[in-house]
Amino acid sequence: MSQELPRPLWIARDFPSCSGCRQCEVVCSLGHEGRIWPEASRIRVFMITPTVEIPHFCSQCDDAPCIAGCHRDALSKNLRTGAIVVDKEKCNACGLCIDACPGRVPTMHPKEKYALICDLCDGDPACVKVCREGRFNALWTAKKPSSVSYKLYAKKPEDMTKELATRLYGEFAERLV
Amino acid sequence: MANGYAGRFLEVDLASKEFKEVNFSEDLLKQYIGGRALAAKILWDRLGDDWGSVNPLGPENILLFLTGPLTGYYPGTRICVSGKSPQSNGIVGSTVSGEFPMELRCSGYDGVIVTGKAERPVYIRILDDAVEIKDASHLWGKDGKQTIRILNKETMEDLEKRVRLKRMWREPGIIYVGPAGENATRVASVMMKWTHGAGYGGYGGVMGSKNLKAVVAKGTGPIPDAADMERALRLISEINNECLMNDAMRRWGTGAAGYEVGADTSSEPVRNWQEEWHDERSFGVDHFERKVWLKRYWSDYGCPTACLKVSAVLKGPLKGAITDNPDYENQAYMGTNLGIFEPEGVVYTNAKSDDMGLCGIQAGNVLGFAGELFQRGILTEEDIGFPLKWGDAEAFGRLAEMVARRQGVGDILAEGSYRAALKIGEMKGVDVTQYVIHEKGMAIGAHGIRSERDYPPITAYATNVQAGDHTSVGGVSPYKSPGQLIWGFADTAVLCGFNLQDKNIDLMWELFRAVTGWSTTVDDWNDVIGARMLAIQRAALLVGGPDLTWSPAVDDENPKRWYEPLPSGPDKGRAVDRAKFTAEKTKYYESLGWDRHGIPTPETLKKLGVENLEKVFSKFRA
């Protein structure tokens, strides 16, 4: 029986639907750290401009510039899920992966010396579950085909904020952002 | 340290620019918990002996920002702001939602205690352990939206430069005042995000009187550990599910009441409470949804309910107005109370109130009062500068800004309705206090009692230690929300009472035990801890001063207007019955172990372990 490689997962995101409840951060930090710890969450909701909430996390680019940018061979891709995996032993929290990422998505563990990148909870992301249970549907899981378009989501929060604020507030966005 | 607590409070003296760490023993925390009850303890310990001479807007007042052990655990995160109130001259625990309390807890602090007055405008910045007092002269005079924009930018830039951690820094949590606070008005909120205010108490003016524009926090730690995390998480999940089933709150927020409380229960302020009934379908929440909502769900940290809706007017003469829903209180006070019955108009007045950092209730009350004086020809176009006609959103918006900036007649109205009425009465030589809907110097929330069909009983405000506060009212069973004991616990453990419905009241107590590891029960709270909080608040309220004091026999009373019959609607003719009011008041006071004038008996004080209050209360015993 031929084993077809499953298509990797992707967490789809709908920015205007995000209420900013940050329950995704709560469950992410609970799942990975066992505590409610927003700055240790792999998904972080930016609200640089209140009401313009931007969930910010790995967009799993096909070419993964973070992996290429790492000098210690600490990052790799899980071929089953498509997640970027951080080897905690090899990583020294230098931050080159942050510089390599067009969205500056990776972040550093606040207490330990390694980078934090969404690991898709090994295929069953807790953030998606809590967002769906809350019927916000700002996040959901999908199968990810290979497409350069996914990389477009690797964008800095301030740039996304500007765009979404303009969509919401039109000519008034400029004085809000 | 006790579970659920960071165990540290930050004390900042703005006069000497010094700060220190304050610790409370676990035993003291068991007795006062946090938020509102701890505020009462700190304030009375430090200022109680001279309470009558402490000017709430003077440098001697103490401003508190206190979380509680459930902040960040119970879904819906709030902080309690307190001090000596420039409205009631007592102690109010005024809570507000937003991101600041979470950032403060993650910085390793349970609260901030602010004393003294800064020479020039400043803000306090807390980045984990690093505390700084920073210049705020560039922020002074700025509205809320600009204040947040500038503070986010400069904090994020500094974080990129200074902190050891490499990352794309997320914006900090900010608690601030708008121009209304800066100008030490008595109708200013302490604000978070664009639109959230801790309004009751008037602590925006206290913050401004200290030249304190904002407190900014960014914390990179976890919130303090719970004693039994597994149990806490199971309970949080149950509370979440209960919130999600509460469809009306989730779909409309409190905003559905803008139509309902007028048309159904006849208890909504209309044109300064001259009526409490309207049947304006234009004010239905469905109109808000279709005409002005930009976002259906807008939450604060950890909240599944998302009762706030983002609204804006982007076209027409009122364009550029952005606010949340508005929620019921602001819908009523900045809408029907001003004769405005269109979503666009009420979004406009609310946005003005938010931007200026006004409390929608206190400011809406004083604007309505001014509207009635204009209607009666007591305040003229010459006094105000323009005609103030019911329903004219632009005119009321303009007057709101004059109040916040203390311009023209706004300078008098900035004192709040009751104090303004005393001044205007002197100026005009006519008693206008009969047109003020206040309780001990505080505007009363937008839930009237004449029809007796809304939730507050007829003693709700007169017996309330927080005076006009409609969220934690007197006259209600200690086991029922929103009685001042149950809701007082929400203000003390510091969580959002709007997520406290049905089964969640029981779950809250279980979560409190799971987080703290203590065995505290609802009875411990109702009989001792909460009852003690009420006794301290009552003492502060009765001593009051320096500008106004309240006599229990005279001032535990309803506004005069509420003894006049409702003039319209299905409840036309109903009014508060004085004999019934007196009987219920006595009964309620007795249930608390107080005498018929609301003075705790010596036995009660002994039971509560606050015999020291006897020297205060003995003066009020008949």
Side-chain angles (χ1 to χ4, degrees):
Chain A
M1 205 166 73
S2 71
Q3 279 257 294
E4 206 185 321
L5 201 64
R7 274 196 296 167
L9 275 182
W10 200 67
I11 300 179
R13 52 211 84 183
D14 182 41
F15 299 103
S17 295
C18 176
S19 74
C21 77
R22 287 179 162 165
Q23 289 187 89
C24 51
E25 298 175 6
V26 172
V27 294
C28 181
S29 62
L30 279 169
H32 292 92
E33 311 289 337
R35 304 162 107 178
I36 297 176
W37 194 345
E39 287 295 341
S41 171
R42 278 98 173 135
I43 179 169
R44 296 187 302 153
V45 180
F46 278 72
M47 37 187 87
I48 304 168
T49 299
T51 75
V52 184
E53 280 83 16
I54 305 289
H56 194 235
F57 58 106
C58 181
S59 54
Q60 299 164 245
C61 315
D62 286 342
D63 64 348
C66 53
I67 297 180
C70 178
H71 288 189
R72 296 173 68 91
D73 207 19
L75 303 181
S76 59
K77 190 174 268 187
N78 178 323
L79 291 179
R80 183 173 53 83
T81 62
I84 304 293
V85 179
V86 181
D87 184 332
K88 292 179 190 177
E89 303 304 317
K90 288 185 185 164
C91 179
N92 69 344
C94 71
L96 284 174
C97 54
I98 300 178
D99 297 335
C101 173
R104 298 184 69 76
V105 171
T107 172
M108 290 301 150
H109 193 287
K111 294 271 180 330
E112 314 287 334
K113 287 249 169 252
Y114 57 84
L116 302 174
I117 301 176
C118 171
D119 61 4
L120 294 167
C121 294
D122 203 31
D124 188 16
C127 54
V128 171
K129 266 193 274 181
V130 78
C131 194
R132 287 186 77 111
E133 277 165 18
R135 303 195 298 275
F136 294 116
N137 295 321
L139 306 174
W140 62 91
T141 39
K143 293 287 181 190
K144 175 179 177 287
S146 173
S147 164
V148 71
S149 291
Y150 288 96
K151 195 173 176 174
L152 300 175
Y153 288 84
K155 207 167 182 185
K156 287 185 201 161
E158 60 251 47
D159 298 334
M160 292 193 270
T161 301
K162 247 176 232 165
E163 291 173 350
L164 186 56
T166 305
R167 172 173 157 186
L168 285 171
Y169 300 115
E171 60 180 294
F172 303 102
E174 210 172 320
R175 66 179 166 95
L176 304 172
V177 179
Chain B
M1 188 60 245
N3 290 296
Y5 292 89
R8 304 189 305 166
F9 293 76
L10 175 68
E11 179 162 341
V12 181
D13 179 42
L14 292 173
S16 66
K17 298 181 188 149
E18 281 170 5
F19 34 87
K20 64 179 180 196
E21 195 181 304
V22 176
N23 305 292
F24 297 112
S25 69
E26 179 159 358
D27 192 48
L28 186 136
L29 291 175
K30 266 189 189 171
Q31 296 307 314
Y32 294 93
I33 300 171
R36 177 169 157 186
L38 185 61
K41 166 74 175 165
I42 294 172
L43 292 167
W44 196 256
D45 274 2
R46 295 194 186 198
L47 303 174
D49 288 344
D50 306 309
W51 192 262
S53 59
V54 169
N55 176 4
L57 298 173
E60 66 269 33
N61 199 1
I62 296 172
L63 180 63
L64 302 170
F65 304 92
L66 303 179
T67 67
L70 292 191
T71 307
Y73 280 104
Y74 196 94
T77 309
R78 281 185 170 240
I79 194 160
C80 177
V81 185
S82 194
K84 181 169 179 179
S85 164
Q87 291 163 1
S88 69
N89 292 332
I91 297 169
V92 177
S94 195
T95 73
V96 54
S97 289
E99 312 305 298
F100 174 78
M102 200 67 183
E103 296 286 0
L104 185 66
R105 295 263 276 168
C106 292
S107 304
Y109 293 107
D110 293 313
V112 183
I113 301 167
V114 181
T115 63
K117 177 187 176 176
E119 265 173 49
R120 278 181 295 276
V122 294
Y123 72 94
I124 298 170
R125 193 169 76 178
I126 304 161
L127 309 178
D128 286 321
D129 275 335
V131 181
E132 282 176 276
I133 298 175
K134 295 183 66 82
D135 175 54
S137 46
H138 59 306
L139 299 167
W140 213 247
K142 293 270 191 297
D143 69 25
K145 293 181 176 103
Q146 293 311 309
T147 301
I148 290 177
R149 193 176 65 88
I150 297 166
L151 279 175
N152 275 346
K153 220 164 253 181
E154 65 189 43
T155 310
M156 287 164 82
E157 274 169 20
D158 280 5
L159 280 163
E160 295 280 347
K161 272 185 273 176
R162 287 183 182 181
V163 182
R164 63 194 161 80
L165 277 171
K166 187 162 174 176
R167 57 179 50 209
M168 176 90 222
W169 280 95
R170 192 163 65 169
E171 77 290 336
I174 302 172
I175 194 161
Y176 67 96
V177 289
E182 293 170 13
N183 295 318
T185 73
R186 291 182 203 259
V187 292
S189 284
V190 173
M191 304 286 297
M192 269 200 268
K193 291 170 132 176
W194 285 347
T195 59
H196 309 344
Y200 281 128
Y203 299 114
V206 175
M207 203 161 153
S209 75
K210 295 187 172 300
N211 270 332
L212 179 61
K213 176 70 179 177
V215 186
V216 175
K218 168 55 73 184
T220 60
I223 64 168
D225 285 331
D228 184 344
M229 194 62 165
E230 211 175 300
R231 193 164 145 235
L233 294 179
R234 186 174 49 73
L235 290 161
I236 292 168
S237 167
E238 274 186 64
I239 294 165
N240 266 329
N241 290 338
E242 198 66 27
C243 291
L244 290 171
M245 292 303 286
N246 192 353
D247 185 66
M249 188 60 104
R250 200 174 144 81
R251 177 177 305 247
W252 299 312
T254 57
Y259 173 70
E260 209 176 289
V261 176
D264 184 29
T265 59
S266 285
S267 50
E268 182 162 12
V270 177
R271 297 178 199 91
N272 197 39
W273 297 89
Q274 293 181 84
E275 296 173 74
E276 297 185 27
W277 173 81
H278 72 85
D279 190 17
E280 298 283 351
R281 297 205 181 246
S282 59
F283 220 55
V285 72
D286 61 320
H287 286 270
F288 280 84
E289 181 172 353
R290 289 191 293 269
K291 290 172 115 175
V292 292
W293 283 7
L294 285 187
K295 222 171 162 164
R296 174 183 298 278
Y297 299 121
W298 190 37
S299 286
D300 297 305
Y301 209 107
C303 182
T305 306
C307 70
L308 300 170
K309 320 297 166 193
V310 179
S311 299
V313 182
L314 299 175
K315 284 186 193 135
L318 304 176
K319 73 176 183 178
I322 301 164
T323 185
D324 52 8
N325 182 25
D327 69 293
Y328 167 68
E329 285 293 320
N330 289 349
Q331 217 173 347
Y333 258 123
M334 286 282 173
T336 56
N337 195 49
L338 310 179
I340 300 167
F341 293 94
E342 288 294 333
E344 291 88 343
V346 80
V347 166
Y348 178 82
T349 48
N350 266 285
K352 186 62 84 179
S353 157
D354 292 340
D355 289 350
M356 289 296 110
L358 288 162
C359 165
I361 296 173
Q362 303 299 318
N365 182 287
V366 80
L367 294 177
F369 168 67
E372 183 169 350
L373 294 190
F374 182 79
Q375 170 198 316
R376 294 182 184 278
I378 299 169
L379 275 184
T380 62
E381 189 174 334
E382 206 174 305
D383 293 324
I384 301 169
F386 46 90
L388 192 65
K389 294 201 179 111
W390 295 124
D392 185 345
E394 275 182 286
F396 280 107
R398 200 167 151 196
L399 188 57
E401 182 149 359
M402 287 165 63
V403 170
R405 300 202 185 274
R406 283 190 175 274
Q407 291 161 345
V409 73
D411 189 36
I412 298 170
L413 301 175
E415 292 298 300
S417 321
Y418 182 61
R419 287 171 173 87
L422 297 177
K423 278 198 184 175
I424 292 168
E426 253 174 57
M427 274 165 50
K428 301 279 181 181
V430 50
D431 180 15
V432 292
T433 54
Q434 61 190 303
Y435 308 126
V436 182
I437 308 302
H438 81 112
E439 183 66 47
K440 303 183 182 77
M442 274 169 76
I444 295 175
H447 288 275
I449 57 175
R450 280 188 275 186
S451 71
E452 288 191 68
R453 295 208 290 115
D454 203 344
Y455 71 83
I458 52 175
T459 53
Y461 306 108
T463 64
N464 192 343
V465 295
Q466 305 212 131
D469 179 3
H470 73 286
T471 62
S472 114
V473 298
V476 175
S477 150
Y479 297 95
K480 283 203 178 137
S481 184
Q484 54 181 346
L485 277 163
I486 285 288
W487 203 293
F489 182 77
D491 297 342
T492 292
V494 194
L495 52 97
C496 184
F498 287 118
N499 281 344
L500 196 56
Q501 273 130 350
D502 306 323
K503 198 167 115 184
N504 278 352
I505 293 180
D506 293 334
L507 294 172
M508 169 182 77
W509 290 105
E510 278 193 55
L511 182 62
F512 181 67
R513 290 186 285 269
V515 169
T516 58
W518 300 336
S519 55
T520 316
T521 64
V522 61
D523 292 323
D524 295 331
W525 171 260
N526 286 340
D527 296 346
V528 184
I529 307 171
R532 184 196 295 128
M533 170 188 81
L534 295 186
I536 300 173
Q537 287 190 282
R538 180 73 175 161
L541 184 63
L542 292 185
V543 177
D547 71 330
L548 297 170
T549 54
W550 318 110
S551 149
V554 179
D555 295 303
D556 287 353
E557 193 36 291
N558 288 306
K560 288 174 195 149
R561 177 155 282 164
W562 287 0
Y563 291 100
E564 295 161 14
L566 286 171
S568 58
D571 295 289
K572 185 176 169 177
R574 296 198 69 160
V576 177
D577 178 302
R578 193 171 289 278
K580 186 177 166 195
F581 166 73
T582 307
E584 287 191 10
K585 185 172 73 167
T586 306
K587 204 170 126 200
Y588 178 65
Y589 281 155
E590 279 170 359
S591 77
L592 294 172
W594 298 5
D595 71 15
R596 70 192 173 91
H597 289 307
I599 310 303
T601 63
E603 298 75 49
T604 300
L605 295 176
K606 196 170 171 215
K607 187 183 115 189
L608 302 180
V610 281
E611 294 93 332
N612 62 323
L613 295 179
E614 174 59 18
K615 66 177 187 291
V616 173
F617 285 125
S618 61
K619 291 179 201 148
F620 293 95
R621 273 200 200 99

